[in-house]
Amino acid sequence: MKPQSLCIFFLLHFFALLCTAASEHEAPGTGGTIVFTTLGRLNYAWDIYTLPTSDPPSPSNELRVTDGESVNFNGHFPSTSPSSVLSLLHNRSLIRTPGPQAPPPLQLVYVTERNGMPNIYYDALYYGAPGSTRSRSALEVPVRLQAPLLGLEESKNRVSMKDRPSLSGENLIYVSTHEDPGEPRTSWAAVYSTHLGTGLTRRLTPSGIADFSPAVSPSGVWTAVASYGKEGWGGEVEELSTDIYVFLTRDGTHRVKVVEHGGWPCWVDDSTLYFHRRSEDQWISVYKATFPKDKPVSTESVTIQRVTPPGLHAFTPATSPGNHKFIAVATRRSNSSFRHIELFDTVKNEFIELTRHVSPTTHHLNPFISPDSARVGYHKCRGESNGAKATQLLLENVKSPVPNLSLFRMYGSFPSFSPAGDRIAYVDFPGVYVVNRDGSNQRQVFHLNAFGSAWDPVRKGIVYTSAGPEFSSESTEVDIVSINVDDVEQSNYKRLTIDGKNNAFPSPSPDGKRIVFRSGRSGHKNLYIMDAIEGETSWIERLTDGPWTDTMCNWSPDGDWIAFSSDRHDPGSGSFELYMIHPNGTGLRRLLRSGSSGRVNHPSFRPDGKLLVFTTDYGGISAEPISNPHHYQPYGEIFTMKLDGSDLKRLTHNSYEDGTPTWAPLYINPVDVEWPRKGECAFEDCHWLNEMPGRGIKLVGPWGLAKPQCGVF
C-alpha cells in the first residue's frame, strides 16, 4: 500500500472509531438513555402451545407453535384460508409456500414482543408436510411462514401496545394504545380494524372511551368488548368493573351495552356469548349471555346464566363457532398454585383438565379454540426444551417513540448508574447488587433487605440505599446507609441515619456533600437533608413539613431543584403528584396533576437537568389484569416532561407495571445486553386468585412474593 493510501486508510479508521465512540458515549441532542424496571417481565419466556381437544392430554401431543425466542402470547386461530391471508401480506416476496402437495397449515395470529416493540404476527405451520413426521416442537417443523400483520405501523415508528388480535375476513381486529385521549388517568386502549391489503385503519371505539378484550362474532358482523363506557377507569387493579358492549365490526356503530359487570367476551354464534365476572359468592366464574331474537338487544332483554360452578375460579373463556358442547377456560383450584387450562362440558356440566397433565407446575394463560373445535391454544413458559432460547437479558431494548432516546428494561429494581456509566447498582430483593453495564461481574454488595439505590457523584464506588422493610409505616425501622461497593469485606456499609423512623430514598447533591431523603421521624413522611459522609450525626435539616407524605426525591444535576412525589394536595388519599422545590425550601410548585386518585412516582432528572422521567398511571390501564401474571399495580408507564410542566410524553406502552426509571449518564445504543445468568421463566399468578372464598384458603406461589415498583414505599 502506498504511503498516501496508508495515511488515508488510518484517517478513515480513526474517524470511524470517533463516530462509534460518539454514538456510544454521548447523549445526542435532546435524547439520552432511560433504564427502568418492569415487574417480572424479563422472566416472561412465553410461547404459544396447542393441544388436541379430543385426545388425552400428554407431553407427546402438545405442540409449540411460536418461535421459541420471542415473547409470544394471546393467540387466535383464524378461519380465513391461508391463501387469502398470504395474498394480502405486503412482504409476499419473502413468503415461500411448501407447494400444492402440502396439507393445510396450522394458522396462528398472535401478539409478539420482539425487536423492542409489540406487534401482531401471522404464522402458518406445515407440520405434516410430505417427508416429515408430526413434531412436538414447532422449531422442528420443516416449513414455517411468518410475517408481521402491522408492518405499515412499524414503518411509521408508531409505538403502542397491541392486544387480543383476531382475523375477520381481510381485516385484523385488535387493541392498540397509539392515540392519546388527552385526559389524565384515562386509558389509551381502543379497538381498531386494519385491512391487511391496504393498511387502512379505522378506530371502532368511540372517542373518549376505552375498550378491552375484543371478540368478533362468527359471522364477522359484531364485535364484543369489555368497557367502562363513559364512566372511565376507577383505579381497580384486580377485576375490572367493566360491562360488555357490542357494536358493528365494519365501523363501530350500533353500539349497545348488553351485559352489566363482565369481561373477556367470546362468541359461540351471533346471539350467544360467554364472559367472566366475580359472582356474589366471590368466585370468578364464566357466564353465558343469550340475545333475544324478537326484540332489541339491551341489558334488560339479554338472558344471563351462570355456567361454571362455585368451588374454583374459572375465567378468560374461549369458544368456537357453533360449538355448544364445550368451552375452554383458565382455572385456579384450591389444590394447586398454578393456573391451568381446562375444557368445560356445557352439556354434562363437568370439567376436563388439560394442561395439568402436561405441565403441572407451570402457569397457562388465555385459552383459544380453533374454528373446527379440534385444538385449544394457550401461552406458557417455554422452558429449555427443544432448543428454545434460554439466555437472560440484563438490559432489554425497548423501542422508543422519541428520536435519539434509547429505552431499556432492566432485570432487578431501582437501577442507578455510576457517574462514569460503566456500572449499574440495583435491588434484587432482599439485597443490593452491582453489575458492569455489559452484564459482567455481577456482585451482591449488601445482603440485608433494601430498596432504592443512588451513586455518590464524587466519591468513587459509594452507593446509597434504604435498609429495611418496604411499604411500611412512619415508625418502621428503615435507615439510609452508604455502601462501598469496591470494599470486598462484608462490613462495607455505614449507617447515616440513627433514629430508624422510615428513612428512605436517598439522593445526593451534585457536589456529593449532602443527601436529601424521606423520613417519618415527625410522624409524617417529609423530606430532610443531611451530611452525605457522616450522616445526621454531623448535621440534619428539615426541608418540608406537613401532615402528608413527601417521598421519592431526586436532586437535579445543577443542584437547584429537588423533585419529589407527594400527596400534599389530598393527604392520605393515595393520590401522588409531581412537585419540585429548591434545596433551601423555597419555590415549591406542582408539575403534574395525575387526575382523581392518580399517581406520579419515582422522578429522575436527565443529566442536563432539562427533563424529568417518572412512572405514572396517567395513561390508565391497558388490559384486563386477570389476563396477565401478577402486578401489584398493572398500570405504571414511563413518561417524561420538561421542568415547566410542558411537553408530556408517554414512552412505554404495555399492560405491565413499569417503574423506578433512571437516566444513564451516557447514551447507550439500543441493543439488548445479555449477561451470564441462566435463563428462567418464572412468574407469579395474580395474588388475588390465591384467595379461595368461603374456605379460608390463601395459596402461596412457589417463588414467594415479588415487590411492586410503582407504588409508594
Side-chain angles (χ1 to χ4, degrees), residues 158-186:
R158 188 162 67 185
V159 177
S160 68
M161 188 201 80
K162 305 294 188 300
D163 198 22
R164 289 301 306 275
S166 59
L167 198 56
S168 179
E170 298 182 350
N171 293 286
L172 182 69
I173 313 299
Y174 58 98
V175 170
S176 179
T177 58
H178 64 265
E179 289 187 296
D180 181 357
E183 294 292 332
R185 213 164 187 248
T186 300

Side-chain angles (χ1 to χ4, degrees), residues 593-633:
R593 290 171 170 82
S594 55
S596 175
S597 301
R599 291 189 174 187
V600 183
N601 296 138
H602 299 293
S604 174
F605 283 95
R606 194 168 70 178
D608 65 3
K610 295 181 179 180
L611 280 181
L612 279 165
V613 65
F614 48 88
T615 182
T616 177
D617 62 356
Y618 194 91
I621 200 164
S622 297
E624 294 191 52
I626 200 170
S627 66
N628 275 325
H630 180 70
H631 289 268
Y632 283 89
Q633 296 157 160

